[in-house]
Amino acid sequence: MTVVAFQGEPGAYSEEAIRQHFGAEVETLPCRTFEDIFDSLDEGRATTGAVPVENSLAGSINKAYDLLLDHDMRVQGEVLLRVQHNLLTMPGNGDKIEQVRSHPQALAQCEGFLNRNSYTAIPWYDTAGSAKELAERPEPNVGVIASALAAEIYNLEIVQQGIEDLDHNFTRFFVIGKGDAQQTPDAKTSLVFATPHSPGALYSCLGEFAERNINLVKLESRPRRNRPWQYVFYLDFEGHWQEPDCSAAVLGLLNRAAFVKMLGSYPAAEQPGNERHAQEAILQI
C-alpha cells in the first residue's frame, strides 16, 4: 500500500499535490518537518514522500535540497501544482471578516487582495494550520488563506477563490522514495556535483552536456555546509541517465567533478500551458 508523507497539516498544498499525482484516495502521512518526511521513509512508516523543492515566485526551497544531499533517497517523479489561494471562514461569516491569518508567504502573495478589502494580515505558522485552528476555535471576524482541500477537510466556507495577486504561481514537488523510477521516454534527471577548485572546472563539467546537445533545465549553487566558501551545484537535464548520450555525459562529469551524487531519473511533469500569455502577446501585436 502506498503511503505518502508530506510536511504540514492535513489540507496543506503538499497534500493537494499528492492527490493530483496519485489520486484522491491515496493515503497520506502528515509530518511536522521536512526531516520527518525522510525519517518516515527510513523507518518504513511511509513508502513515498512529497517534498516541495521550488516555487515559481519564491525560488528554490533550500532545506529540501540539503536533505536530498544528506539522505539516500531517489527522486521518482515530479509534480507541478498550480497554487490557488482561497479565502476561507466559518460558514455564514463571509461578510464579517476583519483579519486574515495564513503563512507569511501566502499573505505576501495575496497582499493586493488583502489591501483592497482592508483586511488585517496576521502571520500564522501554516496555511492549513490556520484553517485547522479556526475550525477548532471559531472566531466570526477571522478568515484564513488556504487550499480548497483545507476548506473540505475542516468544513469551512470558501468566500472567494483565486485571491493570489499573480496567477502564474506554481510549486514543484519531488516524489521521493527508495529505489529508482521506471524508465520513460519523457524523463528528466536530477543530480548534485562539486567541482575541483581550479579555473574552468565548472565550464568543463557543463561542457560534457553541451557537447552531446543535452538540454540543461536547472542549475543552482548551494554552499557546502561542511566546507566554508565551497559550493555544490544542483543540476537538472532532459533525458534519462541510462540513455546513451546522457550516460556518456554523466560518465564525463564523474571524471571531471570532485564528486557526483545522482538524485534520480524520473518522468517529467507536464509543463503548464501558456495560453493566456500567448493570447496577451497576440493582442499586443
Side-chain angles (χ1 to χ4, degrees):
M1 180 179 66
T2 299
V3 179
V4 187
F6 69 95
Q7 187 276 326
E9 300 281 2
Y13 289 105
S14 292
E15 190 170 19
E16 277 200 334
I18 292 168
R19 290 193 178 196
Q20 176 179 307
H21 188 75
F22 290 95
E25 302 305 316
V26 66
E27 184 173 343
T28 57
L29 177 66
C31 296
R32 189 176 63 86
T33 65
F34 283 178
E35 288 89 346
D36 291 340
I37 296 175
F38 288 82
D39 290 343
S40 71
L41 294 170
D42 286 331
E43 297 165 4
R45 292 183 285 114
T47 58
T48 312
V51 184
V53 293
E54 188 175 6
N55 179 264
S56 58
L57 301 178
S60 293
I61 300 170
N62 295 328
K63 182 68 173 179
Y65 278 108
D66 290 342
L67 287 167
L68 286 167
L69 179 58
D70 292 343
H71 289 261
D72 188 23
M73 294 293 165
R74 289 288 195 172
V75 181
Q76 300 175 340
E78 70 172 350
V79 185
L80 295 179
L81 177 72
R82 167 70 166 86
V83 178
Q84 185 178 65
H85 292 307
N86 306 280
L87 179 63
L88 315 180
T89 191
M90 296 300 299
N93 289 342
D95 59 348
K96 302 174 184 177
I97 297 175
E98 296 176 359
Q99 59 177 247
V100 176
R101 302 170 180 168
S102 196
H103 188 277
Q105 189 175 95
L107 293 173
Q109 292 174 357
C110 301
E111 183 177 11
F113 170 83
L114 297 172
N115 290 339
R116 286 192 301 273
N117 290 277
S118 300
Y119 293 141
T120 301
I122 307 296
W124 223 249
Y125 73 96
D126 185 54
T127 53
S130 65
K132 178 182 178 181
E133 291 199 17
L134 179 60
E136 292 175 347
R137 291 184 287 275
E139 297 182 50
N141 66 334
V142 172
V144 300
I145 296 174
S147 68
L149 179 59
E152 176 187 334
I153 290 174
Y154 301 113
N155 297 313
L156 297 177
E157 175 187 343
I158 298 179
V159 179
Q160 189 168 336
Q161 294 180 309
I163 63 172
E164 61 275 5
D165 297 333
L166 299 173
D167 60 6
H168 48 276
N169 185 0
F170 290 84
T171 296
R172 180 186 182 211
F173 293 81
F174 276 159
V175 177
I176 62 172
K178 298 179 179 179
D180 293 307
Q182 185 175 356
Q183 186 171 349
T184 60
D186 60 340
K188 183 187 290 186
T189 298
S190 296
L191 55 81
V192 58
F193 70 96
T195 65
H197 191 59
S198 60
L202 178 60
Y203 178 85
S204 64
C205 287
L206 298 180
E208 295 292 338
F209 298 91
E211 290 172 6
R212 297 169 177 86
N213 201 33
I214 296 172
N215 189 35
L216 307 184
V217 292
K218 181 182 175 71
L219 177 65
E220 185 166 353
S221 65
R222 287 280 296 140
R224 295 185 72 173
R225 289 172 295 166
N226 58 342
R227 298 187 183 183
W229 313 121
Q230 295 189 29
Y231 298 86
V232 296
F233 298 90
Y234 288 89
L235 173 70
D236 294 348
F237 65 85
E238 292 179 347
H240 194 284
W241 76 269
Q242 291 181 324
E243 296 170 11
D245 284 344
C246 296
S247 179
V250 171
L251 180 59
L253 178 64
L254 284 166
N255 290 330
R256 294 182 181 274
F259 86 86
V260 179
K261 179 178 180 179
M262 181 68 64
L263 299 179
S265 289
Y266 48 89
E270 183 176 350
Q271 294 296 310
N274 294 313
E275 294 83 359
R276 186 182 69 82
H277 300 106
Q279 184 65 31
E280 288 179 352
I282 293 171
L283 292 174
Q284 289 173 1
I285 293 171

